Every structure is written in C-alpha cells, then in structure tokens.
Amino acid sequence: MKLFSTILILCCCVASLYGQNLARKVSFSYNRLALKLVLDDISADHDVYFVYSPDYIPTSQPITISVNNIALSEALDKLFDPLPVAYKSIGGQIVLRPVEKNPPPRITNKTIPKEVDQQSPLYADPRMEEIIAERKKRWAQSSPTISGRPAPQKLPSNTESKSLENLTATRFDPLVIDSTLLMEEEVAAAPVPNSDSTTDSTSVVINPKKNLPRLAQISLLPFLGSNFVQSARTTNRVSVNLLWGHNGGVEGLEIGGLMNSIRNDVQGIQIAGLGNTVGDDVLGTQAAGLFNIATDTMVGVQGAGLFNILGRGSALQGAGLFNIARHDFAGVQAAGLFNIAGKNSRAVQVGGLFNVSGGRTRLQVSPLFNIAKDVNNGQLSTIINVARQVKGVQIGLINVADTVSGVTIGLLNLVRKGYNRVELSTSESFLGNLAFKIGVKPFYNIFYLGARISEAQNPGNNTEESIKELTWGLGYGFGTAFSLGKRTLSNLELISIKVNEREGWTRPLHQLHQVRLLFDWRLGKRMSIYAGPTANLLVSSRKDPELGIGGSELVAKTTLYDKTDANKRSQGWIGFNAGIRL
C-alpha cells in the first residue's frame, strides 16, 4: 500500500511538472513560414512542447497567421483550423494528430435500431444478439433478390444518349457486418440500401479504439477471465490479471502477477511482476520487474528492472539496463547502461555507460561518452562528448562539436567553427616557437613546440672550435581570450614545457612553467600580431657541468626568484613573447 501511494504521488508531481495553461495570453505573427518553423518558434517563445510525427503532419505547409494577446487555445485553433491537423493537450504536451476535416456523413437511416445502453458493468447486453439479428434481417429485406441472385435494375433514360437505355446496373449483395466486428469496431459511416435508389456507394469509417466500458475484470490468462473473448475489446476501470491478461484498455488501475498487455490506451497505473505492454498511448504510470513498453505517446512514469521503451512523449524513465524513446521525448532518462532518444528531446539523460540523442537534448551525463545532435545545457563524460551545436558546456577528456556558444573543457577540444589558431613566435628562452590553439575563446587548448640553438666548446678538441647543440621543449597548456575592442583582444595562458637541454631527451626533472598575458591586434580576416609579458618558473634537477644543479641557459641573467634545496633548483624571472597568429 505504501508503494502504491508513492507511485500516485510521483504521478501527480510529474503531471504538475509539465503542466501548461492553455488560457495564457500569446501573440505571434508569421507570413508564409513552414509549419515546422512556426511550431519551433512557438515552443521557444512560449514554452509549449509539441509532440508529432513529421511523417503524418504537413510540416512544410506554409503558414500565414497573426494573433495578438489571445488565449493559447484560441491561437492554436486558428493555427490548425485550415490544416488536416487536430491537437490535444496531454499532460504538459500538445499532441498533434492527422485528421480528415470533412469526414463522410454518419448513418442517419431511422430504420437501423439504436444501440442499447450497457446495463451490466461485467457482461455484454443480452439483447445484443437480437439487435444484430434484426439489423441483418432489415438489411437483407431492403435488397430484393431473384433465385438467390441480385435483381438487375435499369438506369434512368438519358435523352442526350439513347445508347445508355440498354445499360443495366446490378445492385451489390446486402452489406453484412459480423456481430464480432460490431462488438469491436464503431461504424462511423455506411450507406443503407434503398430500393428506390441505385446510385448509393459503400463507405465505411472504422474507429478501432472504440471499446466496451467495464467497471472491473479478473483473469488468469488472456481470454480466460470474466470478459472472456471480449477482453481485447473492453476498457476496464480496474483490471486484475493473476498471471497474464490481454485487454482493450485501462482507465484506472491494472495489476498483473506476470504480464499486462493492453491493445489500445492506458490512463492510470499499470503494475506487473514481469512486464507491461501498451499498443497505443499511456497517460500515467507503468511499473514492472523487467520491462515496460508504450508503443505510441507516453506521459507519466516508467520504472522497470531491465528496460523501458516508448514511442514519444514526456516521461520519467528509470531502468536497470536501458531506456529508449524512439521519437521526440521530454523528461528524464536514468539507466544503469545507456539511454537513447531517437529524435528531439528536452531531456536529462543519465547513463551508466553512454547516452545518445538523435536530435536536440538538454543534458547528458555518463562515464564513457555522450552523443547528440544539438545540446542546450551540457554534456559531461570522462572520455568523449560529441555534438553538432552546443549552447552550454562540454566537459570531458575529448570534446567534439561544430559550433559552441558556451564553453568546452577538456584535454582536447575540437570545434570546427571555434577559436583555432596557429602561432609563430619568439621569446628570450626559445628563439623559435610553434603553437596550435584549438577550442573556443572562453577555453582553448595549447600544443607547443620550441627550440633554440646553442654553441658549446667541442670537448674532443683542444682548440676553441665550438659546436652547435639543440635545446628544445614540448609543452601543453590552456588559455582564455576576451575581446578588448573590434580588432583587439587579450589572451591569458598557462603552459608547462618539458625542456630537453642540449640532448635528445633530458631524463631528470627539467620543467618550464609559463603564465602569459598577450595582446592581439588583428590585421586581416585571419592574421594578427601579438606580444606580451611572460612570467617564467624553471624547476630542475639536472646537473649542468658548468652551472651546477638546476642550471640552464634558458634562465635570464636577472632573476626574481632563486631557491636551491638538496636535489632541485627553482628559478623565476619575467620574459616576453611576440609573434604572428593565423
């Protein structure tokens, strides 16, 4: 009972979380703009989330509309009135469905008896068989037959074409609808044969989701329960399946020992020991030991030990292994392994391994990797984040994006339309420097290579003949850039350089740390010059034959800091750096 109360409270919280007021006042104006762009703009400006399938909704239809300070419901009525589209508010979402604006007329023949209102909450009306038999009899009598074959009927004479006088038309066999079909489907429109007319045509519109209402049912297995063969055509307020049940719909509560299977919609709560499956929409909660499946729209909560799958909607999904939303999704996905949202999502995805979103997403958090088309808030992982457009933050070992309007923080940030620069410079320590800077202005990575040529006396020659030796450095750092004017900016950078002095690789500690403050003047579209001071700190355990422990020719003659202990030496000074940036 405590678990049941908790689930009800959670459903209420989710419903209130995504609730939206259709009475709010809105204003917008569009002139021959595609429907998809109109819906996206309304969503962004008025915090309205539309759920639809572009396969059935004419998203490319040009829209011309102008509303000013009217209720959202009135604005939507005006927007969708000329389109074959109907909308319905489910939870906090506006669900769009294709409709036929001018459906065929419904049956109006007074000779067809009306349906008898259901009197029993558990069993079918006992007079239904008599009603169906009477209906068959009336329809059969309305079509005269000769020797069991349809009687030919002559067409009216046409004075303009005498050749038509010999033409005859044969009436079709009487329309017979099986009783089981009547129990399952609602006949929306069909002609009634009339002996005075020969031009009627047959047109039937079926509503397969029209079920028989019941207060309650109990079953052991599919079709082995109180509703018997009518189970798949029945919507129950309360449904109890001892092992496995198959019903038409639920508008209340369904509990199953093993499985609950619903053909159409669920509005309420489903609880099963193994799994719940719904063939259409779910408005409410699904909880199961292994899995939950909602084929179409889901608004509510899905909780399962293994996995949850839904078509589209707004929900909270929690599973031990994975969650999948095949189309548009809003809400939260949390799983032990991974989460997948097929298309656009306003969701938070938290996965034990990875997260994938086929469209726009809000936030992705995982240990391995996150992949999305567009990101509104951020991606956080320990290895790699991949997105097209990022409006927020990317934090990971490797971050990949096309454009970023926020910041990417990682060891390697690859942004195609970002702050990507190549620098050639000189300084007092290394006369030649090459640097690659990649990322975005708020945070970018620096890959550095520096070198200098030194002259030293040849130890194998007693003369003063000297030889040239190479001192080089390999470094990594990061920085930030901020604009000072239209053509000027400033860089603040931190770099650590491994120094190999006069040898291929210096094994002892020999590290140069730099803090740079640079000022950049742009000369052209991509080229600029820069210069600025550098604060240097060399920490070394290398023993120089001439300069002693920690000695280096990189150190300026005048130092601001010089400290030596038992096995290393630290020296600090102010230098400079200047160069060309491409």
Side-chain angles (χ1 to χ4, degrees), residues 40-86:
D40 292 343
D41 191 66
I42 295 175
S43 298
D45 292 345
H46 303 288
D47 195 24
V48 180
Y49 185 54
F50 293 96
V51 179
Y52 62 90
S53 172
D55 296 333
Y56 302 102
I57 302 300
T59 55
S60 60
Q61 176 74 27
I63 300 297
T64 299
I65 185 174
S66 180
V67 299
N68 184 27
N69 197 29
I70 65 174
L72 175 61
S73 59
E74 296 179 22
L76 294 179
D77 290 341
K78 187 175 180 181
L79 173 63
F80 296 120
D81 182 63
L83 301 175
V85 178

Side-chain angles (χ1 to χ4, degrees), residues 100 102-106 188-189 203-205:
E100 186 177 356
N102 298 310
R106 302 181 65 86
S203 177
V204 179
V205 178

Side-chain angles (χ1 to χ4, degrees), residues 506-511 538-544 548-551 562-571:
T506 301
R507 292 184 178 276
L509 175 65
H510 204 46
Q511 201 79 15
L538 179 67
V539 181
S540 177
S541 299
R542 173 179 173 271
K543 291 183 180 180
D544 188 276
I549 186 171
D562 194 339
K563 181 180 179 181
T564 304
D565 57 20
N567 57 4
K568 71 177 180 178
R569 185 180 181 181
S570 301
Q571 297 171 286

Side-chain angles (χ1 to χ4, degrees), residues 109 142 171 192-198 200:
N109 194 309
S142 65
R171 180 176 300 278
V192 178
N194 193 322
S195 59
D196 298 331
S197 175
T198 61
D200 292 339

Side-chain angles (χ1 to χ4, degrees), residues 375-386:
V375 177
N376 281 347
N377 294 332
Q379 291 178 311
L380 290 82
S381 73
T382 57
I383 298 182
I384 185 170
N385 297 304
V386 179

Side-chain angles (χ1 to χ4, degrees), residues 128-138:
M128 183 60 70
E129 296 295 335
E130 299 177 4
I131 294 172
I132 295 172
E134 179 65 20
R135 182 176 302 176
K136 290 181 179 180
K137 182 178 179 181
R138 289 171 181 259

